[in-house]
Amino acid sequence: MLTVSDGTACQLFQLQNGRWVRIWNKTKASDPDAMPPYFAWSPKGVLVCDGGDIGGLWQEDQTGTWTLIGGNASPFRGQRNVSFTWAPAGSAQNSTQRLQA
């Protein structure tokens, strides 16, 4: 599935059945400090974004609902420009084995 962050509209879109569908609309380009959301797909297929100008780390569930990862207790709640990524499969196990060697 093709997912795009629109820097002008500060929203995320997906190409679904030949049509562009807005999937993230929590931020608005009319906000004076609007920032486009950064997103990535987890290895398990979960779509995660940094929330653009509202901050935090958010994940989309199978129903299309976005939730703040960690809720109100998240250390990233309200933080903008949160960078994130996933390690390649098995890399944590490999690094542990290297440390034990």
Side-chain angles (χ1 to χ4, degrees), residues 38 49-50 52 55-57 75-84:
Y38 166 78
C49 82
D50 72 352
L57 284 175
F76 308 110
R77 185 173 184 251
Q79 295 287 336
R80 296 171 46 170
N81 293 325
V82 176
S83 297
F84 63 95

Side-chain angles (χ1 to χ4, degrees), residues 31-70:
D31 293 348
D33 58 351
M35 298 173 59
Y38 166 78
F39 71 92
W41 288 92
S42 79
K44 294 188 177 192
V46 176
L47 183 59
V48 174
C49 82
D50 72 352
D53 57 313
I54 65 171
L57 284 175
W58 297 77
Q59 69 181 16
E60 184 185 35
D61 67 19
Q62 294 176 334
T63 67
T65 301
W66 289 91
T67 56
L68 181 63
I69 298 172

Side-chain angles (χ1 to χ4, degrees), residues 4 12 14 22 50 52 73 97:
V4 176
L12 295 176
Q14 282 183 344
R22 181 180 21 240
D50 72 352
Q97 290 172 351

